[in-house]
């Protein structure tokens, strides 16, 4: 303790001291107590330098500046110098409103410093304690609940009678108002005068004449008394103008501009856009922050937001000190010491200056450091015990004040050691009107404001979603629809905003606690009740018998000094439960439920006009479809589209109207716009989810509701924001997708119609609210369920076109490039679909054409429509550099050209049919489009599947054109040689684009196509050879080409296991080609060589006959099995797909040619034997051929044999004797050697040995009949 030196009153301490700096930290008592204070707000100017009063100064005389404003102190001077009004019961709410960021998360307690001190002195004081406690998240709000003033008001107004009765019944049956003593007012007056003396730096304090003393002292007492009464507001009443005239203002009402209305909802809210929900009107409710300083005080691990009005002086070597006035005859007790110590800790003041007086006469000054206060004489106390008291009280309150929105009453009677906690909200609900509790409205407002503040930061951490939801639900429980429609509507909108409609289907467990069973984050059912033996003697079951209304009881205040007495029950969950939605539909339905509640509040607050069109919310609004006859078809659709675009243009000019009479700019207007747009988004997500589930009728119903909501929004909105237009573009795009899928799934139209016409009551009520504002149906053309396929495709196309037009005339295509690309892709796709539709219709008309063989006008119109759609689709894809899809549309255009070519092929009878110029024109156009498609792709790596498909179609076109030219040669216009040349070129180009080497699903088709081309080319050259006369070089060329293509055709057909007939036909043609060559030969050796080559070709057909036999056996077994199971099988049914007529025809040709070849070989071998003498090899071959020829003749003579038996006979009699053909080839070789004049043939012994060896090799398997 340091005593100040005697200094004249005219010498104030030097310098302009400042408020304790923000963020300064003060550690006291070593490791016993840790305390830090940060000044969050201060309305006080820099500390005034205090003046040391001269001894014998009489404080009973007021100074000249008493109760007057000072230039040094500013408007806050009277508050700083202790002439402040009595603390208001809602002071903590005022601070919470100003520092909303701290409420619910970072701060444990918000309160006046006087209340904090009163709580921490409970074990040392016998005085009564009465405080209201409210919980907001993890934060407790503490306010003085002055029973004296409260019951005085009850006697005058009749309010709070229920609490007065409860108090008298259970606590103090003989209650009466206790008046404050004269000593109290005396001490208060001299303290005020002392502080005013201390700031008088202009000279010695000049007391005013004593005659004014009574005049000056009176107001101090009276003012305090009156302000004490005025601090309690009346229970909240809704002004009559609130629900009728949104533009009117009332001094006693709460202005209703919703803090979460941020213009249009398309974008995330920004803090700078928030409008004020409660302005000056809140002052009349006692909700203003009147403290000179708001300090964030951390006491050990407890974070408190404290309001303080303690005067702080400074100057010279004392930068910050607190001034205290003490009676020198009265020692400082523990309560005073704790009071001084806590004040300095809270305000972060390091020193205390104490002025001692006797009967108002100044005696001396002393300087005391803050850390020395607990050790003052007669005022010793343990700072560690104060810390334990603070922790125990906080744990007790947090463990029992569990319900947000409830008002709890912490009460300790004078002289009592028992502290009780009551739930006043529960007690109040037993009365008729819950608004008899004046805390109801401030608590609801605070819950709302905290939720609003957290909503601004909701994207930073989704773990806060559960807390926000809990705050809003508790807020709604406290409010009445008729009294607070604006707050309720805004809260419901915020609840709907919590459910992110575009979030992933599966919520991340790290973001959302998996607990959706509780609507409140704090519930007494979820908290485990502590054991009184371990955690303190308070519990619901151990209340005194005369009071069973208390939530919890501390039976002895001494327990608060026990370290960690209540620590185990301090259970505050860091995050609140957010309901887990198990699907998109459930999430959207929750959103729509909140939106509907908000719409109801808005509608109920709007003045009802007499001419407002009546609508019954329980009557479904029909969503019927119109067929083509009533809607007018595509032509009518064009007009509707034009009207739509015209209306969209009018939106840009700002045209809007409301049938319900809402005033633009009012809170109802702004809120309803947001709610309508939110419902539109919810229906859009529902539609998208139904689309994924392939519930296309339901999807169309939802998108219709989404567009109806958007339509109403457009009718109300004064200007269209870009985000809203982009959303409209998305809706129209989705609507186009749905119409396209409905067109592609026409078989389920009945089920889709049932889904489309279903409506929930919730949807009906939302529509009813929409129709209060507008009944326009701008989007009706897009959402009708038509039964006509063409109409559905057209509607889908128009939806995409409308979406693209919105992007164009709103200048959004550059701002939303992804959206533009998606819309153009869909436009290209739907135009492809429509083009294919018209193309298929043209093909159907062509197929049904019977009477007139000329191309009809209908066909030509369909061609034009199809071609126009393909062309526009190609332009769409090329505009976004989509080469793959552009190639596919070029491919479809090529197919259209082929259909056009086919339409010109039947103009004359088949007997005089020729390949027409029109066919050639369209086929060449088709080829051009296919080549463009290949150029569009560039190379196969871009898209292998599309590349292969285009190559295949191009090959098919060349092949078809060559085949038609070959089969129906235009001999009337072109020479045979020219036709053959064109056919050959077309066939070779077809081969060029027919990829037989790449392994794929199409490889067998390519191999078959290539084999067929080689077969046709071989046949053509074979025919040319037969018809060619003269030019021997050309004949030789044709012979070589025919033989080459026959060989290639055979090799490719051998690779295929399902083309035995084609392989057999090619081999028979090769035999015919050999026979033709043999006919022109003169020498026997040449004929035998050709003959043996033909027989060798015949031998190679064995594999084809084995395949045919295998298929016939499988078919026979299947027929037998079906007969055994008593199933009737049609004789034409064939599971193998084998053409028996063709097999019979080929078999007959084979038998006849085989017989001819054997017969010719017998003749030639017989004549050769006579000429050259006995050669053993030729004799054996001759004998064998005779035997086979005999067997073949007998087999063909039996007409009763089945096809299978004939095949088996051929295999048994001919192909089991493969050695015959080897013998024939060897015999041919030896025959040639026998005729050649060589030395080896002159050596008979050598010739005989070779013959014997050959015979042994050939006769290894004896031939039997």
């Amino acid at each position: 303790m340091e005593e100040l030196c005697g200094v004249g009153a005219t010498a104030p301490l030097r310098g302009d001291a400042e408020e304790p700096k923000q963020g300064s930290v003060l550690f006291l008592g070593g490791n016993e107590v840790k305390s830090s204070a940060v000044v969050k707000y201060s309305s006080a100017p820099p500390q005034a330098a205090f003046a040391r009063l001269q001894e014998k100064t009489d404080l009973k005389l007021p100074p000249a500046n008493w109760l007057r404003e000072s230039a040094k102190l500013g408007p806050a001077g009277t508050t700083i110098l202790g002439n402040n009004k009595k603390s208001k019961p809602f002071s903590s709410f005022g601070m919470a409103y100003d520092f909303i960021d701290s409420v619910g998360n970072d701060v444990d307690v918000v309160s006046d410093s006087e209340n904090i001190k009163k709580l921490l002195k409970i074990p040392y004081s016998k005085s009564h304690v009465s405080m209201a406690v409210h919980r907001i998240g993890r934060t407790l709000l503490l306010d003085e609940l002055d029973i004296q003033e409260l019951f005085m008001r009850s006697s005058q107004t009749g309010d709070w009678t229920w609490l007065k009765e409860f108090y008298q019944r259970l606590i103090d049956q003989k209650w009466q108002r206790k008046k404050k003593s004269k000593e109290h007012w005396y001490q208060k007056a001299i303290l005020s005068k002392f502080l005013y003396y201390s700031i008088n730096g202009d000279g010695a304090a000049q007391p005013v004449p004593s005659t004014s003393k009574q005049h000056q002292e009176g107001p101090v007492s009276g003012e305090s008394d009156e302000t004490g009464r005025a601090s309690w507001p009346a229970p909240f009443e809704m002004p009559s103008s609130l629900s009728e005239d949104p533009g009117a203002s009332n001094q006693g009402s709460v202005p209703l501009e919703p803090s979460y209305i941020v213009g249009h909802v398309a974008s995330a809210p920004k803090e700078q856009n928030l409008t004020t929900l409660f302005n000056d009107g809140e002052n009349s409710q006692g909700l203003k922050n009147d403290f000179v300083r708001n300090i964030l005080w951390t006491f050990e691990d407890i974070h408190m937001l404290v309001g303080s009005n303690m005067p702080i002086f400074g100057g010279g070597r004392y930068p910050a000190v607190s001034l205290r006035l003490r009676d020198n005859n009265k020692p400082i007790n523990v309560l005073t010491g704790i009071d001084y110590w806590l004040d300095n800790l809270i305000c972060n003041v390091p020193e205390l200056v104490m002025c001692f007086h006797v009967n108002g006469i100044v005696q001396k000054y002393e300087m005391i450091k803050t850390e020395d206060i607990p050790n003052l004489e007669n005022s010793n106390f343990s700072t560690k015990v104060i810390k334990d008291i603070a922790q125990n009280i906080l744990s007790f309150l947090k463990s029992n004040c569990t319900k947000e929105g409830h008002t709890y009453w912490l009460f300790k009677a004078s002289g009592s050691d028992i502290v009780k906690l009551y739930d006043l909200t529960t007690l109040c609900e037993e009365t008729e009107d819950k608004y008899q509790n004046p805390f109801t409205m401030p608590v609801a407002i605070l819950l709302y404001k905290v939720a609003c503040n957290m909503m601004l930061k909701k994207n930073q951490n989704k773990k806060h979603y559960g807390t926000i939801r809990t705050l809003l639900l508790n807020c709604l429980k406290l409010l009445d629809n008729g009294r607070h429609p604006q707050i309720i509507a805004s809260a419901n909108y915020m609840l709907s905003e919590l459910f992110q409609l575009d979030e992933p289907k599966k919520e991340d467990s790290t973001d959302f606690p998996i607990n959706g069973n509780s609507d409140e984050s704090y519930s007494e059912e979820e908290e485990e009740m502590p054991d009184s033996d371990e955690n303190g003697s308070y519990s619901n079951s151990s209340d005194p018998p005369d009071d069973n209304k208390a939530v919890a009881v501390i039976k002895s205040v001494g327990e608060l000094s026990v370290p960690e007495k209540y620590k185990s029950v301090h259970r505050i969950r860091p995050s609140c439960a957010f309901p887990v939605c198990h699907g998109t539909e459930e999430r959207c339905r929750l959103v729509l439920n909140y939106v509907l509640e908000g719409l109801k509040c808005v509608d109920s607050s709007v003045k009802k006009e007499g001419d407002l069109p009546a609508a019954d919310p329980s009557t479904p609004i029909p969503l019927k479809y119109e067929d083509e006859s009533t809607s007018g078809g595509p032509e009518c659709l064009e007009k509707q589209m034009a009207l739509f675009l015209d209306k969209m243009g009018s939106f840009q000019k700002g045209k809007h109207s409301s049938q319900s009479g809402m005033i633009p700019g009012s809170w109802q207007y702004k809120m309803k716009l947001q709610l309508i747009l939110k419902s539109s988004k919810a229906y859009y997500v529902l539609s998208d989810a139904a689309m994924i589930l392939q519930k296309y009728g339901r999807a169309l119903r939802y998108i219709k509701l989404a567009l109806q909501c958007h339509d109403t929004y457009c009718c109300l909105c004064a200007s269209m924001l870009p985000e809203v237009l982009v959303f409209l573009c998305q809706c129209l795009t989705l609507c186009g997708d749905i119409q396209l899928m409905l067109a592609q799934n026409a078989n389920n139209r009945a089920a889709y119609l049932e889904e489309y016409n279903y409506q929930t009551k919730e949807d009906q009520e939302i529509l009813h609210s929409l129709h209060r504002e507008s009944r326009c149906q701008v989007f009706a053309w897009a959402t009708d369920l038509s039964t006509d396929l063409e109409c559905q495709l057209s509607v889908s196309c128009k939806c995409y076109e409308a979406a693209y037009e919105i992007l164009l005339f709103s200048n959004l295509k550059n701002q939303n490039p992804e959206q533009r690309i998606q819309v153009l892709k869909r436009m290209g796709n739907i135009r492809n679909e429509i083009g294919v539709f018209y193309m298929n219709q043209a093909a159907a008309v062509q197929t049904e054409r019977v009477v007139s063989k000329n191309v009809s006008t209908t066909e030509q119109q369909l061609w034009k429509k199809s071609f126009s759609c393909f062309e526009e689709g190609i332009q769409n894809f090329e505009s976004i550099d989509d080469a793959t899809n552009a190639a596919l549309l070029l491919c479809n255009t090529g197919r259209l050209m082929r259909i056009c070519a086919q339409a010109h092929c039947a103009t004359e009878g088949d007997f005089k049919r020729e390949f027409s110029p029109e066919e050639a024109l369209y086929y060449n156009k088709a080829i051009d489009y296919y080549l463009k498609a290949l150029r569009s792709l560039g190379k196969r790596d871009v898209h292998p599947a599309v590349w292969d498909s285009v190559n295949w179609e191009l090959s098919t076109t060349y092949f078809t054109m060559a085949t038609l030219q070959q089969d129906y040669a235009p001999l009337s216009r072109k020479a045979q040689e020219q036709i053959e040349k064109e056919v050959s070129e077309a066939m070779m180009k077809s081969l060029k684009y027919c990829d037989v080497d790449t392994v794929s699903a199409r490889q067998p088709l390519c191999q078959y196509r290539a084999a067929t081309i080689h077969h046709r080319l071989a046949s053509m050259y074979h025919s040319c050879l037969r018809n060619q006369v003269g030019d021997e070089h050309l004949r030789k060329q044709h012979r070589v080409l025919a033989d080459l293509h026959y060989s290639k055709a055979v090799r490719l057909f051998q690779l295929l296991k399902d083309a035995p007939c084609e392989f057999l036909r090619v081999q028979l043609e090769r035999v015919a080609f050999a026979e033709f060559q043999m006919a022109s030969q003169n020498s026997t050796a040449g004929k035998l060589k050709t003959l043996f080559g033909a027989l060798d070709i015949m031998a190679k057909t064995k594999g084809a006959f084995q395949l045919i036999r295998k298929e016939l056996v499988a078919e026979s077994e299947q027929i037998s099995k079906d007969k055994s199971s008593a199933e009737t099988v049609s004789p034409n049914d064939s599971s193998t797909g084998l053409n028996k007529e063709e097999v019979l025809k080929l078999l007959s040709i084979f038998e006849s040619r085989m017989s001819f070849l054997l017969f010719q070989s017998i003749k030639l071998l017989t004549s050769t034997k006579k000429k050259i003498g006995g050669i053993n090899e030729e004799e054996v071959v001759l004998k064998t051929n005779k035997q086979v020829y005999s067997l073949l003749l007998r087999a063909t003579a039996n007409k009763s044999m089945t096809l299978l038996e004939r095949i088996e006979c051929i295999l048994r009699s001919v192909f089991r004797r493969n050695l015959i053909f080897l013998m024939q080839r060897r015999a041919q070789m030896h025959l040639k050697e026998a005729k050649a004049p060589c030395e080896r043939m002159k050596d008979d012994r050598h010739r005989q040995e070779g013959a014997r060896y050959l015979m042994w090799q050939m006769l290894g398997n004896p031939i039997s009949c």
Side-chain angles (χ1 to χ4, degrees), residues 4-135:
L4 294 181
C5 300
V7 181
T10 60
L13 293 181
R14 177 178 53 84
D16 294 329
E18 296 180 354
E19 196 77 17
K21 293 183 180 180
Q22 181 172 340
S24 58
V25 181
L26 183 65
F27 294 96
L28 301 175
N31 294 326
E32 291 186 0
V33 175
K34 295 178 183 179
S35 173
S36 65
V38 177
V39 178
K40 304 287 286 185
Y41 165 80
S42 175
S43 62
Q47 289 96 332
F50 75 92
R52 180 182 180 278
L53 303 184
Q54 294 180 346
E55 292 185 14
K56 309 303 180 180
T57 300
D58 189 357
L59 298 179
K60 295 189 290 297
L61 299 176
N65 63 348
W66 191 39
L67 302 180
R68 297 179 183 178
E69 291 187 3
S70 170
K72 292 184 179 181
L73 299 179
T78 55
T79 303
I80 292 174
L81 298 182
N83 194 30
N84 58 313
K85 298 180 181 179
K86 184 173 175 136
S87 176
K88 297 179 181 178
F90 298 107
S91 59
S92 66
F93 289 90
M95 283 191 289
Y97 294 160
D98 287 348
F99 301 98
I100 205 73
D101 282 336
S102 302
V103 178
N105 294 316
D106 304 328
V107 174
D108 296 300
V109 176
V110 177
S111 183
D112 183 352
S113 61
E114 297 299 319
N115 296 331
I116 299 293
K117 292 188 293 182
K118 189 178 291 186
L119 285 177
L120 297 184
K121 291 188 294 185
I122 284 180
Y124 302 94
S125 173
K126 293 297 181 179
S127 62
H128 86 287
V129 175
S130 175
M131 292 188 190
V133 185
H134 298 89
R135 182 178 203 139

Side-chain angles (χ1 to χ4, degrees), residues 1034-1104:
L1034 192 59
R1035 286 174 60 81
K1036 184 178 180 180
Q1037 184 180 2
H1038 285 164
R1039 183 168 56 251
V1040 171
L1041 288 173
D1043 187 59
L1044 174 66
H1045 287 295
Y1046 274 133
S1047 300
K1048 290 183 177 180
V1050 168
R1051 190 181 74 252
L1052 288 168
F1053 276 129
Q1054 279 179 327
L1055 296 174
L1056 301 170
K1057 302 300 181 182
D1058 56 351
C1061 293
E1062 287 81 355
F1063 176 75
L1064 187 57
R1065 185 183 298 107
V1066 173
Q1067 293 291 59
L1068 290 175
E1069 286 191 20
R1070 292 182 69 192
V1071 169
F1073 182 65
E1075 291 177 1
F1076 174 74
Q1077 289 180 298
M1078 188 176 65
S1080 62
Q1081 293 174 335
N1082 296 323
S1083 65
T1084 303
K1087 287 186 177 181
L1088 276 174
K1089 179 181 177 181
T1090 305
L1091 190 62
F1092 289 157
L1095 287 171
D1096 187 45
I1097 291 171
M1098 286 296 215
K1100 291 179 180 178
T1101 60
K1102 177 183 178 182

Side-chain angles (χ1 to χ4, degrees), residues 270-327:
K270 297 181 180 178
E271 188 170 2
Q272 61 266 27
N273 292 335
L274 288 178
T275 54
T276 304
L277 178 58
F278 304 101
N279 52 25
D280 294 337
E282 66 197 15
N283 296 349
S284 62
Q285 288 293 318
L287 306 182
K288 188 177 180 181
N289 182 2
D290 286 330
F291 294 104
V292 173
R293 297 177 197 84
N294 296 124
I295 302 166
L296 186 59
W297 181 41
T298 301
F299 185 63
E300 288 294 323
D301 60 343
I302 304 172
H303 303 282
M304 290 176 273
L305 181 62
V306 180
S308 173
N309 292 326
M310 185 182 77
I312 299 176
F313 295 84
R317 62 192 182 101
Y318 307 107
V321 296
S322 59
L323 288 180
R324 298 291 179 175
L325 183 66
R326 291 295 303 170
D327 192 337

Side-chain angles (χ1 to χ4, degrees), residues 140-183:
L140 297 177
L141 276 70
L142 305 179
D143 293 282
E144 182 181 3
L145 190 63
D146 192 335
I147 296 296
Q148 300 272 337
E149 298 297 336
L150 194 66
F151 292 166
M152 283 296 296
R153 179 176 180 82
S154 175
S155 301
Q156 296 172 5
T157 64
D159 302 327
W160 292 87
T161 54
W162 58 274
L163 182 58
K164 183 177 179 181
E165 293 173 359
F166 169 77
Y167 181 85
Q168 291 179 328
R169 183 173 68 253
L170 296 180
I171 299 174
D172 188 359
Q173 296 181 1
K174 300 179 180 180
W175 174 85
Q176 61 181 357
R177 177 171 173 78
K178 300 176 182 178
K179 296 183 179 180
K180 294 181 180 179
S181 63
K182 291 182 179 180
E183 178 67 19

Side-chain angles (χ1 to χ4, degrees), residues 322-366:
S322 59
L323 288 180
R324 298 291 179 175
L325 183 66
R326 291 295 303 170
D327 192 337
N328 201 25
N329 296 326
K330 296 179 181 178
I332 300 175
N333 57 26
V334 172
L335 295 177
T336 303
I338 293 174
D339 205 59
Y340 292 171
W341 181 70
L342 288 175
D343 270 335
N344 277 19
L345 282 187
I346 292 171
C347 294
N348 204 16
V349 176
E351 294 172 306
L352 166 68
V353 176
M354 191 174 295
C355 176
F356 293 90
H357 74 95
V358 174
N359 295 324
I361 306 300
V362 174
Q363 302 296 316
K364 64 177 179 177
Y365 281 85
E366 289 184 4

Side-chain angles (χ1 to χ4, degrees), residues 633-829:
E635 295 80 7
C636 181
L637 192 62
E638 292 285 351
K639 296 179 182 178
Q640 292 174 338
M641 183 64 194
L643 291 173
F644 162 73
L645 292 176
D646 181 64
K647 178 152 189 175
M648 289 306 298
S650 70
F651 291 154
Q652 301 301 308
K653 299 174 185 176
K655 296 181 180 179
H656 60 276
S657 61
S658 170
Q659 294 181 359
S660 65
M662 279 195 309
I663 302 173
S666 64
W667 74 264
Q668 291 99 332
Y669 174 82
K670 295 177 182 178
M671 180 56 65
K672 192 156 190 176
L673 279 178
Q674 294 183 89
L675 291 169
I676 289 173
L677 192 58
K678 188 68 179 181
S679 63
S680 183
K681 291 180 178 180
Y683 282 126
Y684 170 83
V685 175
L686 281 171
S687 179
D688 188 50
M691 179 82 170
I692 295 172
L693 296 174
Q694 299 181 356
K695 302 290 185 181
Y696 302 124
R698 185 193 306 175
L700 185 62
R701 170 166 57 90
Y702 284 138
I703 201 62
K704 179 167 187 172
L705 290 167
L707 287 171
Q708 283 183 323
C709 293
H710 202 286
D711 191 11
T712 304
Y713 179 90
C714 293
C715 290
L716 292 176
C717 191
S719 60
M720 298 290 281
L721 291 178
E723 295 85 354
V724 178
L725 288 173
V726 171
F727 174 64
L728 175 58
C729 180
Q730 293 172 349
C731 288
L732 289 170
T733 303
L734 179 59
C735 186
D737 294 344
I738 296 168
Q739 292 285 6
L740 175 58
M741 298 312 298
L742 286 169
Q744 292 178 349
N745 296 271
N747 295 335
N748 297 327
R749 185 172 282 119
Y752 297 149
L753 183 61
E754 184 178 354
E755 293 173 358
Y756 179 73
N757 287 327
Y758 175 78
Q759 255 192 332
T760 65
K761 183 179 180 181
E762 193 176 61
D763 297 337
Q764 295 169 16
E765 291 178 341
I766 290 176
L767 279 175
H768 170 65
S769 179
L770 296 179
H771 289 163
R772 284 174 54 90
E773 310 304 332
S774 170
R775 289 183 175 271
C776 55
Q777 299 288 331
V778 178
F779 304 102
W781 57 271
T783 54
D784 284 336
L785 180 58
S786 175
T787 57
D788 182 72
L789 181 61
E790 180 182 1
C791 183
Q792 286 177 325
L793 292 173
S794 299
V795 168
S796 178
C797 184
K798 294 303 176 185
C799 285
Y800 297 140
E801 290 175 359
Y804 187 64
E805 287 294 329
I806 290 171
L807 291 178
L808 281 183
F809 66 63
S810 303
N811 197 25
L812 294 173
K813 64 176 183 178
N814 296 327
Q815 302 174 20
N816 299 273
E818 273 300 319
Q819 185 74 15
R820 172 180 172 271
I821 290 172
Q822 290 299 321
V823 172
L824 283 173
K825 274 189 176 181
R826 283 170 165 81
M827 286 174 66
N829 178 61

